[in-house]
Amino acid sequence: MRRIAGIVLAVLLIGGVVAAVVAGRQGDGKGTATKTVRGVIGSEKSDFFADPDVVKALAAKGYTVKTEASGSWAMEDLDLKGYDFAFPSSSAPADTLAEKYHARQPLPRPFYSPLVVVAHRSAAQVLAANGLAVLDGKGKGTLKMAAYLDAARHNRTWQQLNGAKAHGELTGTLYITSTDPETSNSGALYLAAASYVANGGRVVASDADVRKTAPLLHKLVSVQGAQQPSSDSVFRDFISGAGNPLVCLYESQVVSLLAEQHGSDDLVVLYPDTTVNSDHTIVPLDDAGRELGELLSTDPTLRRLAVRHGFRPQGDSAEFVKATADRAAYLNQTLTGVRQAPVPTSTVLHDMARRARG
């Protein structure tokens, strides 16, 4: 009987250990299991979602996010079946996608970034000497949009500007490099800001407004020749010293660069006195997509990481100001003296872009 009892006890003990191991593994699976969420994003957010700290923060909340990059306007032509969300770079393409896929309003808008113009120092100094810009210290300033558009309207060249002859790299027509407005959000928003100024401080809202502003917008685009499909490409060219000395892109890209390089002797960030914000807007295609959008909007860790990548979290400017204090020499942290222009509807923007491209 003792032997039988010992055998039974041994079996029970072994069974208990096995059960505990299995339960432990199952418990570990639950603790580390994540919900995989797939989305199409604007290319300027690729580094954010690839950041190991962002991946870790999302996993801690139960999410693995897999993304593919696309031009924000090009998303309208994609088949998004099987995706959980789209994440274009502004509200106009997001609203179009939301209508197409019957996404419930309101759409999550976790963060935003204003358009800026980056300039090589020599170019910024010449612009300032000719009344097209005002410099505020060594690394930042304000671009006078009306004066710049007047110069573009009259086909002014660098050689016609006082002080340009001292800089051999400043030759040819004066213009700002932007992205293709038919596929890229930053290019479309550049036209939105320019058209607002050209239309007398009124948003372009009618066919008459489009016709009125079309000749100038066509000049802004046609002088550039072939345009890049994304702001990442034009920014890389600018940093490498290739291409045009004036480039329109997102402030977030500059903030992110400065975080890595801690300044640049040949970089001046010009904030147009009339600009537009790029409201990064999530279009939830299902419940998982909406949960992700709300998480990005509210989670303190993810908001802090968004600032690391240069984005301004919605609802609290102090977060951005505090986190970028070490880069204040290049940034207009509170956007003082910067007017935010309304963005035309998606239909109007498409029409403007088509006419601008000719």
Side-chain angles (χ1 to χ4, degrees), residues 289-314:
R290 182 164 292 276
E291 290 168 6
L292 176 66
E294 292 172 352
L295 182 64
L296 291 173
S297 301
T298 60
D299 182 74
T301 300
L302 289 168
R303 286 172 66 91
R304 176 177 56 78
L305 291 169
V307 175
R308 177 196 287 180
H309 287 270
F311 301 111
R312 294 174 178 251
Q314 294 283 7

mmCIF file with all atom_site columns, all heavy atoms in Angstrom, residues 289-314:
data_model
loop_
_atom_site.group_PDB
_atom_site.id
_atom_site.type_symbol
_atom_site.label_atom_id
_atom_site.label_alt_id
_atom_site.label_comp_id
_atom_site.label_asym_id
_atom_site.label_entity_id
_atom_site.label_seq_id
_atom_site.pdbx_PDB_ins_code
_atom_site.Cartn_x
_atom_site.Cartn_y
_atom_site.Cartn_z
_atom_site.occupancy
_atom_site.B_iso_or_equiv
_atom_site.pdbx_formal_charge
_atom_site.auth_seq_id
_atom_site.auth_comp_id
_atom_site.auth_asym_id
_atom_site.auth_atom_id
_atom_site.pdbx_PDB_model_num
ATOM 1   N N   . GLY A 1 289 ? -8.298  49.819 -35.711 1.00 0.00 ? 289 GLY A N   1
ATOM 2   C CA  . GLY A 1 289 ? -7.708  51.060 -36.186 1.00 0.00 ? 289 GLY A CA  1
ATOM 3   C C   . GLY A 1 289 ? -8.093  52.253 -35.327 1.00 0.00 ? 289 GLY A C   1
ATOM 4   O O   . GLY A 1 289 ? -7.278  53.128 -35.037 1.00 0.00 ? 289 GLY A O   1
ATOM 5   N N   . ARG A 1 290 ? -9.355  52.273 -34.886 1.00 0.00 ? 290 ARG A N   1
ATOM 6   C CA  . ARG A 1 290 ? -9.807  53.380 -34.024 1.00 0.00 ? 290 ARG A CA  1
ATOM 7   C C   . ARG A 1 290 ? -9.134  53.294 -32.656 1.00 0.00 ? 290 ARG A C   1
ATOM 8   O O   . ARG A 1 290 ? -8.744  54.315 -32.091 1.00 0.00 ? 290 ARG A O   1
ATOM 9   C CB  . ARG A 1 290 ? -11.328 53.356 -33.874 1.00 0.00 ? 290 ARG A CB  1
ATOM 10  C CG  . ARG A 1 290 ? -11.867 54.518 -33.021 1.00 0.00 ? 290 ARG A CG  1
ATOM 11  C CD  . ARG A 1 290 ? -13.358 54.694 -33.206 1.00 0.00 ? 290 ARG A CD  1
ATOM 12  N NE  . ARG A 1 290 ? -13.671 55.155 -34.539 1.00 0.00 ? 290 ARG A NE  1
ATOM 13  C CZ  . ARG A 1 290 ? -13.632 56.439 -34.920 1.00 0.00 ? 290 ARG A CZ  1
ATOM 14  N NH1 . ARG A 1 290 ? -13.253 57.373 -34.062 1.00 0.00 ? 290 ARG A NH1 1
ATOM 15  N NH2 . ARG A 1 290 ? -13.941 56.775 -36.148 1.00 0.00 ? 290 ARG A NH2 1
ATOM 16  N N   . GLU A 1 291 ? -8.991  52.088 -32.119 1.00 0.00 ? 291 GLU A N   1
ATOM 17  C CA  . GLU A 1 291 ? -8.317  51.927 -30.824 1.00 0.00 ? 291 GLU A CA  1
ATOM 18  C C   . GLU A 1 291 ? -6.887  52.448 -30.901 1.00 0.00 ? 291 GLU A C   1
ATOM 19  O O   . GLU A 1 291 ? -6.405  53.128 -29.988 1.00 0.00 ? 291 GLU A O   1
ATOM 20  C CB  . GLU A 1 291 ? -8.319  50.453 -30.426 1.00 0.00 ? 291 GLU A CB  1
ATOM 21  C CG  . GLU A 1 291 ? -9.704  49.914 -30.049 1.00 0.00 ? 291 GLU A CG  1
ATOM 22  C CD  . GLU A 1 291 ? -9.704  48.400 -29.955 1.00 0.00 ? 291 GLU A CD  1
ATOM 23  O OE1 . GLU A 1 291 ? -8.614  47.787 -30.059 1.00 0.00 ? 291 GLU A OE1 1
ATOM 24  O OE2 . GLU A 1 291 ? -10.794 47.813 -29.789 1.00 0.00 ? 291 GLU A OE2 1
ATOM 25  N N   . LEU A 1 292 ? -6.210  52.156 -32.018 1.00 0.00 ? 292 LEU A N   1
ATOM 26  C CA  . LEU A 1 292 ? -4.838  52.630 -32.182 1.00 0.00 ? 292 LEU A CA  1
ATOM 27  C C   . LEU A 1 292 ? -4.807  54.154 -32.243 1.00 0.00 ? 292 LEU A C   1
ATOM 28  O O   . LEU A 1 292 ? -3.954  54.797 -31.621 1.00 0.00 ? 292 LEU A O   1
ATOM 29  C CB  . LEU A 1 292 ? -4.217  52.044 -33.447 1.00 0.00 ? 292 LEU A CB  1
ATOM 30  C CG  . LEU A 1 292 ? -2.805  52.553 -33.773 1.00 0.00 ? 292 LEU A CG  1
ATOM 31  C CD1 . LEU A 1 292 ? -1.808  52.101 -32.714 1.00 0.00 ? 292 LEU A CD1 1
ATOM 32  C CD2 . LEU A 1 292 ? -2.366  52.080 -35.157 1.00 0.00 ? 292 LEU A CD2 1
ATOM 33  N N   . GLY A 1 293 ? -5.730  54.739 -32.988 1.00 0.00 ? 293 GLY A N   1
ATOM 34  C CA  . GLY A 1 293 ? -5.773  56.191 -33.097 1.00 0.00 ? 293 GLY A CA  1
ATOM 35  C C   . GLY A 1 293 ? -5.985  56.868 -31.764 1.00 0.00 ? 293 GLY A C   1
ATOM 36  O O   . GLY A 1 293 ? -5.340  57.877 -31.449 1.00 0.00 ? 293 GLY A O   1
ATOM 37  N N   . GLU A 1 294 ? -6.863  56.324 -30.956 1.00 0.00 ? 294 GLU A N   1
ATOM 38  C CA  . GLU A 1 294 ? -7.131  56.901 -29.638 1.00 0.00 ? 294 GLU A CA  1
ATOM 39  C C   . GLU A 1 294 ? -5.940  56.713 -28.708 1.00 0.00 ? 294 GLU A C   1
ATOM 40  O O   . GLU A 1 294 ? -5.620  57.584 -27.890 1.00 0.00 ? 294 GLU A O   1
ATOM 41  C CB  . GLU A 1 294 ? -8.394  56.275 -29.058 1.00 0.00 ? 294 GLU A CB  1
ATOM 42  C CG  . GLU A 1 294 ? -9.647  56.669 -29.837 1.00 0.00 ? 294 GLU A CG  1
ATOM 43  C CD  . GLU A 1 294 ? -10.890 55.917 -29.409 1.00 0.00 ? 294 GLU A CD  1
ATOM 44  O OE1 . GLU A 1 294 ? -10.759 54.967 -28.601 1.00 0.00 ? 294 GLU A OE1 1
ATOM 45  O OE2 . GLU A 1 294 ? -11.988 56.259 -29.890 1.00 0.00 ? 294 GLU A OE2 1
ATOM 46  N N   . LEU A 1 295 ? -5.245  55.578 -28.852 1.00 0.00 ? 295 LEU A N   1
ATOM 47  C CA  . LEU A 1 295 ? -4.063  55.325 -28.035 1.00 0.00 ? 295 LEU A CA  1
ATOM 48  C C   . LEU A 1 295 ? -2.955  56.322 -28.357 1.00 0.00 ? 295 LEU A C   1
ATOM 49  O O   . LEU A 1 295 ? -2.322  56.893 -27.458 1.00 0.00 ? 295 LEU A O   1
ATOM 50  C CB  . LEU A 1 295 ? -3.573  53.896 -28.267 1.00 0.00 ? 295 LEU A CB  1
ATOM 51  C CG  . LEU A 1 295 ? -2.364  53.438 -27.446 1.00 0.00 ? 295 LEU A CG  1
ATOM 52  C CD1 . LEU A 1 295 ? -2.712  53.418 -25.960 1.00 0.00 ? 295 LEU A CD1 1
ATOM 53  C CD2 . LEU A 1 295 ? -1.921  52.047 -27.904 1.00 0.00 ? 295 LEU A CD2 1
ATOM 54  N N   . LEU A 1 296 ? -2.710  56.575 -29.647 1.00 0.00 ? 296 LEU A N   1
ATOM 55  C CA  . LEU A 1 296 ? -1.688  57.528 -30.049 1.00 0.00 ? 296 LEU A CA  1
ATOM 56  C C   . LEU A 1 296 ? -2.026  58.941 -29.568 1.00 0.00 ? 296 LEU A C   1
ATOM 57  O O   . LEU A 1 296 ? -1.127  59.750 -29.311 1.00 0.00 ? 296 LEU A O   1
ATOM 58  C CB  . LEU A 1 296 ? -1.533  57.530 -31.569 1.00 0.00 ? 296 LEU A CB  1
ATOM 59  C CG  . LEU A 1 296 ? -0.916  56.272 -32.198 1.00 0.00 ? 296 LEU A CG  1
ATOM 60  C CD1 . LEU A 1 296 ? -0.991  56.351 -33.708 1.00 0.00 ? 296 LEU A CD1 1
ATOM 61  C CD2 . LEU A 1 296 ? 0.531   56.099 -31.754 1.00 0.00 ? 296 LEU A CD2 1
ATOM 62  N N   . SER A 1 297 ? -3.306  59.223 -29.436 1.00 0.00 ? 297 SER A N   1
ATOM 63  C CA  . SER A 1 297 ? -3.741  60.554 -29.025 1.00 0.00 ? 297 SER A CA  1
ATOM 64  C C   . SER A 1 297 ? -3.623  60.781 -27.525 1.00 0.00 ? 297 SER A C   1
ATOM 65  O O   . SER A 1 297 ? -3.426  61.920 -27.080 1.00 0.00 ? 297 SER A O   1
ATOM 66  C CB  . SER A 1 297 ? -5.198  60.786 -29.457 1.00 0.00 ? 297 SER A CB  1
ATOM 67  O OG  . SER A 1 297 ? -5.352  60.660 -30.853 1.00 0.00 ? 297 SER A OG  1
ATOM 68  N N   . THR A 1 298 ? -3.756  59.715 -26.732 1.00 0.00 ? 298 THR A N   1
ATOM 69  C CA  . THR A 1 298 ? -3.894  59.896 -25.281 1.00 0.00 ? 298 THR A CA  1
ATOM 70  C C   . THR A 1 298 ? -2.768  59.323 -24.447 1.00 0.00 ? 298 THR A C   1
ATOM 71  O O   . THR A 1 298 ? -2.539  59.794 -23.328 1.00 0.00 ? 298 THR A O   1
ATOM 72  C CB  . THR A 1 298 ? -5.210  59.252 -24.798 1.00 0.00 ? 298 THR A CB  1
ATOM 73  O OG1 . THR A 1 298 ? -5.185  57.845 -25.118 1.00 0.00 ? 298 THR A OG1 1
ATOM 74  C CG2 . THR A 1 298 ? -6.413  59.895 -25.487 1.00 0.00 ? 298 THR A CG2 1
ATOM 75  N N   . ASP A 1 299 ? -2.045  58.327 -24.934 1.00 0.00 ? 299 ASP A N   1
ATOM 76  C CA  . ASP A 1 299 ? -1.022  57.679 -24.108 1.00 0.00 ? 299 ASP A CA  1
ATOM 77  C C   . ASP A 1 299 ? 0.175   58.616 -23.899 1.00 0.00 ? 299 ASP A C   1
ATOM 78  O O   . ASP A 1 299 ? 0.788   59.076 -24.885 1.00 0.00 ? 299 ASP A O   1
ATOM 79  C CB  . ASP A 1 299 ? -0.552  56.382 -24.773 1.00 0.00 ? 299 ASP A CB  1
ATOM 80  C CG  . ASP A 1 299 ? 0.473   55.658 -23.921 1.00 0.00 ? 299 ASP A CG  1
ATOM 81  O OD1 . ASP A 1 299 ? 0.079   55.071 -22.908 1.00 0.00 ? 299 ASP A OD1 1
ATOM 82  O OD2 . ASP A 1 299 ? 1.669   55.716 -24.276 1.00 0.00 ? 299 ASP A OD2 1
ATOM 83  N N   . PRO A 1 300 ? 0.533   58.919 -22.654 1.00 0.00 ? 300 PRO A N   1
ATOM 84  C CA  . PRO A 1 300 ? 1.629   59.868 -22.394 1.00 0.00 ? 300 PRO A CA  1
ATOM 85  C C   . PRO A 1 300 ? 2.964   59.450 -23.010 1.00 0.00 ? 300 PRO A C   1
ATOM 86  O O   . PRO A 1 300 ? 3.700   60.297 -23.529 1.00 0.00 ? 300 PRO A O   1
ATOM 87  C CB  . PRO A 1 300 ? 1.716   59.888 -20.863 1.00 0.00 ? 300 PRO A CB  1
ATOM 88  C CG  . PRO A 1 300 ? 0.363   59.456 -20.397 1.00 0.00 ? 300 PRO A CG  1
ATOM 89  C CD  . PRO A 1 300 ? -0.115  58.469 -21.407 1.00 0.00 ? 300 PRO A CD  1
ATOM 90  N N   . THR A 1 301 ? 3.267   58.175 -22.967 1.00 0.00 ? 301 THR A N   1
ATOM 91  C CA  . THR A 1 301 ? 4.542   57.701 -23.525 1.00 0.00 ? 301 THR A CA  1
ATOM 92  C C   . THR A 1 301 ? 4.582   57.897 -25.032 1.00 0.00 ? 301 THR A C   1
ATOM 93  O O   . THR A 1 301 ? 5.579   58.380 -25.590 1.00 0.00 ? 301 THR A O   1
ATOM 94  C CB  . THR A 1 301 ? 4.763   56.217 -23.186 1.00 0.00 ? 301 THR A CB  1
ATOM 95  O OG1 . THR A 1 301 ? 4.792   56.060 -21.766 1.00 0.00 ? 301 THR A OG1 1
ATOM 96  C CG2 . THR A 1 301 ? 6.070   55.713 -23.780 1.00 0.00 ? 301 THR A CG2 1
ATOM 97  N N   . LEU A 1 302 ? 3.497   57.547 -25.710 1.00 0.00 ? 302 LEU A N   1
ATOM 98  C CA  . LEU A 1 302 ? 3.457   57.687 -27.167 1.00 0.00 ? 302 LEU A CA  1
ATOM 99  C C   . LEU A 1 302 ? 3.435   59.152 -27.585 1.00 0.00 ? 302 LEU A C   1
ATOM 100 O O   . LEU A 1 302 ? 4.023   59.524 -28.611 1.00 0.00 ? 302 LEU A O   1
ATOM 101 C CB  . LEU A 1 302 ? 2.255   56.934 -27.725 1.00 0.00 ? 302 LEU A CB  1
ATOM 102 C CG  . LEU A 1 302 ? 2.376   55.409 -27.659 1.00 0.00 ? 302 LEU A CG  1
ATOM 103 C CD1 . LEU A 1 302 ? 1.045   54.734 -27.955 1.00 0.00 ? 302 LEU A CD1 1
ATOM 104 C CD2 . LEU A 1 302 ? 3.445   54.921 -28.653 1.00 0.00 ? 302 LEU A CD2 1
ATOM 105 N N   . ARG A 1 303 ? 2.799   60.001 -26.799 1.00 0.00 ? 303 ARG A N   1
ATOM 106 C CA  . ARG A 1 303 ? 2.823   61.437 -27.090 1.00 0.00 ? 303 ARG A CA  1
ATOM 107 C C   . ARG A 1 303 ? 4.252   61.986 -26.955 1.00 0.00 ? 303 ARG A C   1
ATOM 108 O O   . ARG A 1 303 ? 4.710   62.784 -27.784 1.00 0.00 ? 303 ARG A O   1
ATOM 109 C CB  . ARG A 1 303 ? 1.874   62.187 -26.156 1.00 0.00 ? 303 ARG A CB  1
ATOM 110 C CG  . ARG A 1 303 ? 0.401   61.989 -26.484 1.00 0.00 ? 303 ARG A CG  1
ATOM 111 C CD  . ARG A 1 303 ? -0.496  62.595 -25.411 1.00 0.00 ? 303 ARG A CD  1
ATOM 112 N NE  . ARG A 1 303 ? -0.400  64.040 -25.330 1.00 0.00 ? 303 ARG A NE  1
ATOM 113 C CZ  . ARG A 1 303 ? -1.181  64.904 -26.006 1.00 0.00 ? 303 ARG A CZ  1
ATOM 114 N NH1 . ARG A 1 303 ? -2.108  64.450 -26.834 1.00 0.00 ? 303 ARG A NH1 1
ATOM 115 N NH2 . ARG A 1 303 ? -1.036  66.207 -25.861 1.00 0.00 ? 303 ARG A NH2 1
ATOM 116 N N   . ARG A 1 304 ? 4.961   61.532 -25.916 1.00 0.00 ? 304 ARG A N   1
ATOM 117 C CA  . ARG A 1 304 ? 6.345   61.973 -25.728 1.00 0.00 ? 304 ARG A CA  1
ATOM 118 C C   . ARG A 1 304 ? 7.217   61.497 -26.886 1.00 0.00 ? 304 ARG A C   1
ATOM 119 O O   . ARG A 1 304 ? 8.075   62.250 -27.380 1.00 0.00 ? 304 ARG A O   1
ATOM 120 C CB  . ARG A 1 304 ? 6.879   61.425 -24.402 1.00 0.00 ? 304 ARG A CB  1
ATOM 121 C CG  . ARG A 1 304 ? 8.344   61.736 -24.150 1.00 0.00 ? 304 ARG A CG  1
ATOM 122 C CD  . ARG A 1 304 ? 8.795   61.225 -22.790 1.00 0.00 ? 304 ARG A CD  1
ATOM 123 N NE  . ARG A 1 304 ? 8.553   59.795 -22.631 1.00 0.00 ? 304 ARG A NE  1
ATOM 124 C CZ  . ARG A 1 304 ? 9.313   58.845 -23.159 1.00 0.00 ? 304 ARG A CZ  1
ATOM 125 N NH1 . ARG A 1 304 ? 10.376  59.162 -23.893 1.00 0.00 ? 304 ARG A NH1 1
ATOM 126 N NH2 . ARG A 1 304 ? 9.040   57.572 -22.954 1.00 0.00 ? 304 ARG A NH2 1
ATOM 127 N N   . LEU A 1 305 ? 6.996   60.280 -27.336 1.00 0.00 ? 305 LEU A N   1
ATOM 128 C CA  . LEU A 1 305 ? 7.780   59.755 -28.451 1.00 0.00 ? 305 LEU A CA  1
ATOM 129 C C   . LEU A 1 305 ? 7.437   60.461 -29.755 1.00 0.00 ? 305 LEU A C   1
ATOM 130 O O   . LEU A 1 305 ? 8.298   60.622 -30.630 1.00 0.00 ? 305 LEU A O   1
ATOM 131 C CB  . LEU A 1 305 ? 7.553   58.249 -28.577 1.00 0.00 ? 305 LEU A CB  1
ATOM 132 C CG  . LEU A 1 305 ? 8.145   57.416 -27.431 1.00 0.00 ? 305 LEU A CG  1
ATOM 133 C CD1 . LEU A 1 305 ? 7.653   55.974 -27.498 1.00 0.00 ? 305 LEU A CD1 1
ATOM 134 C CD2 . LEU A 1 305 ? 9.675   57.462 -27.469 1.00 0.00 ? 305 LEU A CD2 1
ATOM 135 N N   . ALA A 1 306 ? 6.188   60.894 -29.907 1.00 0.00 ? 306 ALA A N   1
ATOM 136 C CA  . ALA A 1 306 ? 5.811   61.662 -31.100 1.00 0.00 ? 306 ALA A CA  1
ATOM 137 C C   . ALA A 1 306 ? 6.598   62.962 -31.152 1.00 0.00 ? 306 ALA A C   1
ATOM 138 O O   . ALA A 1 306 ? 7.084   63.377 -32.213 1.00 0.00 ? 306 ALA A O   1
ATOM 139 C CB  . ALA A 1 306 ? 4.309   61.934 -31.098 1.00 0.00 ? 306 ALA A CB  1
ATOM 140 N N   . VAL A 1 307 ? 6.763   63.612 -29.989 1.00 0.00 ? 307 VAL A N   1
ATOM 141 C CA  . VAL A 1 307 ? 7.557   64.844 -29.937 1.00 0.00 ? 307 VAL A CA  1
ATOM 142 C C   . VAL A 1 307 ? 9.010   64.557 -30.287 1.00 0.00 ? 307 VAL A C   1
ATOM 143 O O   . VAL A 1 307 ? 9.672   65.354 -30.955 1.00 0.00 ? 307 VAL A O   1
ATOM 144 C CB  . VAL A 1 307 ? 7.452   65.506 -28.546 1.00 0.00 ? 307 VAL A CB  1
ATOM 145 C CG1 . VAL A 1 307 ? 8.370   66.717 -28.465 1.00 0.00 ? 307 VAL A CG1 1
ATOM 146 C CG2 . VAL A 1 307 ? 6.018   65.922 -28.253 1.00 0.00 ? 307 VAL A CG2 1
ATOM 147 N N   . ARG A 1 308 ? 9.521   63.416 -29.846 1.00 0.00 ? 308 ARG A N   1
ATOM 148 C CA  . ARG A 1 308 ? 10.894  63.045 -30.197 1.00 0.00 ? 308 ARG A CA  1
ATOM 149 C C   . ARG A 1 308 ? 11.079  63.055 -31.704 1.00 0.00 ? 308 ARG A C   1
ATOM 150 O O   . ARG A 1 308 ? 12.160  63.404 -32.213 1.00 0.00 ? 308 ARG A O   1
ATOM 151 C CB  . ARG A 1 308 ? 11.231  61.651 -29.648 1.00 0.00 ? 308 ARG A CB  1
ATOM 152 C CG  . ARG A 1 308 ? 12.624  61.186 -30.063 1.00 0.00 ? 308 ARG A CG  1
ATOM 153 C CD  . ARG A 1 308 ? 12.813  59.695 -29.860 1.00 0.00 ? 308 ARG A CD  1
ATOM 154 N NE  . ARG A 1 308 ? 12.945  59.314 -28.468 1.00 0.00 ? 308 ARG A NE  1
ATOM 155 C CZ  . ARG A 1 308 ? 13.124  58.055 -28.055 1.00 0.00 ? 308 ARG A CZ  1
ATOM 156 N NH1 . ARG A 1 308 ? 13.190  57.069 -28.950 1.00 0.00 ? 308 ARG A NH1 1
ATOM 157 N NH2 . ARG A 1 308 ? 13.231  57.787 -26.775 1.00 0.00 ? 308 ARG A NH2 1
ATOM 158 N N   . HIS A 1 309 ? 10.043  62.661 -32.408 1.00 0.00 ? 309 HIS A N   1
ATOM 159 C CA  . HIS A 1 309 ? 10.108  62.625 -33.867 1.00 0.00 ? 309 HIS A CA  1
ATOM 160 C C   . HIS A 1 309 ? 9.617   63.922 -34.500 1.00 0.00 ? 309 HIS A C   1
ATOM 161 O O   . HIS A 1 309 ? 9.385   63.972 -35.715 1.00 0.00 ? 309 HIS A O   1
ATOM 162 C CB  . HIS A 1 309 ? 9.326   61.422 -34.391 1.00 0.00 ? 309 HIS A CB  1
ATOM 163 C CG  . HIS A 1 309 ? 10.031  60.124 -34.131 1.00 0.00 ? 309 HIS A CG  1
ATOM 164 N ND1 . HIS A 1 309 ? 10.918  59.574 -35.033 1.00 0.00 ? 309 HIS A ND1 1
ATOM 165 C CD2 . HIS A 1 309 ? 10.011  59.292 -33.058 1.00 0.00 ? 309 HIS A CD2 1
ATOM 166 C CE1 . HIS A 1 309 ? 11.401  58.440 -34.525 1.00 0.00 ? 309 HIS A CE1 1
ATOM 167 N NE2 . HIS A 1 309 ? 10.870  58.246 -33.331 1.00 0.00 ? 309 HIS A NE2 1
ATOM 168 N N   . GLY A 1 310 ? 9.462   64.955 -33.690 1.00 0.00 ? 310 GLY A N   1
ATOM 169 C CA  . GLY A 1 310 ? 9.204   66.284 -34.229 1.00 0.00 ? 310 GLY A CA  1
ATOM 170 C C   . GLY A 1 310 ? 7.763   66.707 -34.326 1.00 0.00 ? 310 GLY A C   1
ATOM 171 O O   . GLY A 1 310 ? 7.474   67.837 -34.716 1.00 0.00 ? 310 GLY A O   1
ATOM 172 N N   . PHE A 1 311 ? 6.838   65.827 -33.974 1.00 0.00 ? 311 PHE A N   1
ATOM 173 C CA  . PHE A 1 311 ? 5.425   66.164 -34.103 1.00 0.00 ? 311 PHE A CA  1
ATOM 174 C C   . PHE A 1 311 ? 4.938   66.943 -32.881 1.00 0.00 ? 311 PHE A C   1
ATOM 175 O O   . PHE A 1 311 ? 5.439   66.767 -31.771 1.00 0.00 ? 311 PHE A O   1
ATOM 176 C CB  . PHE A 1 311 ? 4.586   64.895 -34.265 1.00 0.00 ? 311 PHE A CB  1
ATOM 177 C CG  . PHE A 1 311 ? 4.981   64.071 -35.469 1.00 0.00 ? 311 PHE A CG  1
ATOM 178 C CD1 . PHE A 1 311 ? 5.604   62.838 -35.316 1.00 0.00 ? 311 PHE A CD1 1
ATOM 179 C CD2 . PHE A 1 311 ? 4.726   64.526 -36.744 1.00 0.00 ? 311 PHE A CD2 1
ATOM 180 C CE1 . PHE A 1 311 ? 5.977   62.084 -36.418 1.00 0.00 ? 311 PHE A CE1 1
ATOM 181 C CE2 . PHE A 1 311 ? 5.099   63.781 -37.865 1.00 0.00 ? 311 PHE A CE2 1
ATOM 182 C CZ  . PHE A 1 311 ? 5.719   62.555 -37.692 1.00 0.00 ? 311 PHE A CZ  1
ATOM 183 N N   . ARG A 1 312 ? 3.950   67.791 -33.092 1.00 0.00 ? 312 ARG A N   1
ATOM 184 C CA  . ARG A 1 312 ? 3.325   68.546 -32.003 1.00 0.00 ? 312 ARG A CA  1
ATOM 185 C C   . ARG A 1 312 ? 2.054   67.810 -31.577 1.00 0.00 ? 312 ARG A C   1
ATOM 186 O O   . ARG A 1 312 ? 1.098   67.730 -32.362 1.00 0.00 ? 312 ARG A O   1
ATOM 187 C CB  . ARG A 1 312 ? 2.979   69.965 -32.461 1.00 0.00 ? 312 ARG A CB  1
ATOM 188 C CG  . ARG A 1 312 ? 4.199   70.827 -32.782 1.00 0.00 ? 312 ARG A CG  1
ATOM 189 C CD  . ARG A 1 312 ? 3.781   72.172 -33.362 1.00 0.00 ? 312 ARG A CD  1
ATOM 190 N NE  . ARG A 1 312 ? 4.926   73.029 -33.643 1.00 0.00 ? 312 ARG A NE  1
ATOM 191 C CZ  . ARG A 1 312 ? 5.252   74.121 -32.954 1.00 0.00 ? 312 ARG A CZ  1
ATOM 192 N NH1 . ARG A 1 312 ? 4.484   74.508 -31.941 1.00 0.00 ? 312 ARG A NH1 1
ATOM 193 N NH2 . ARG A 1 312 ? 6.315   74.838 -33.280 1.00 0.00 ? 312 ARG A NH2 1
ATOM 194 N N   . PRO A 1 313 ? 1.999   67.268 -30.357 1.00 0.00 ? 313 PRO A N   1
ATOM 195 C CA  . PRO A 1 313 ? 0.784   66.575 -29.913 1.00 0.00 ? 313 PRO A CA  1
ATOM 196 C C   . PRO A 1 313 ? -0.394  67.543 -29.857 1.00 0.00 ? 313 PRO A C   1
ATOM 197 O O   . PRO A 1 313 ? -0.241  68.715 -29.490 1.00 0.00 ? 313 PRO A O   1
ATOM 198 C CB  . PRO A 1 313 ? 1.141   66.070 -28.509 1.00 0.00 ? 313 PRO A CB  1
ATOM 199 C CG  . PRO A 1 313 ? 2.633   66.076 -28.467 1.00 0.00 ? 313 PRO A CG  1
ATOM 200 C CD  . PRO A 1 313 ? 3.058   67.212 -29.338 1.00 0.00 ? 313 PRO A CD  1
ATOM 201 N N   . GLN A 1 314 ? -1.567  67.066 -30.228 1.00 0.00 ? 314 GLN A N   1
ATOM 202 C CA  . GLN A 1 314 ? -2.757  67.898 -30.166 1.00 0.00 ? 314 GLN A CA  1
ATOM 203 C C   . GLN A 1 314 ? -3.097  68.210 -28.714 1.00 0.00 ? 314 GLN A C   1
ATOM 204 O O   . GLN A 1 314 ? -2.992  67.367 -27.838 1.00 0.00 ? 314 GLN A O   1
ATOM 205 C CB  . GLN A 1 314 ? -3.945  67.177 -30.818 1.00 0.00 ? 314 GLN A CB  1
ATOM 206 C CG  . GLN A 1 314 ? -3.809  66.955 -32.310 1.00 0.00 ? 314 GLN A CG  1
ATOM 207 C CD  . GLN A 1 314 ? -4.073  68.190 -33.142 1.00 0.00 ? 314 GLN A CD  1
ATOM 208 O OE1 . GLN A 1 314 ? -4.246  69.281 -32.614 1.00 0.00 ? 314 GLN A OE1 1
ATOM 209 N NE2 . GLN A 1 314 ? -4.108  68.024 -34.458 1.00 0.00 ? 314 GLN A NE2 1
#
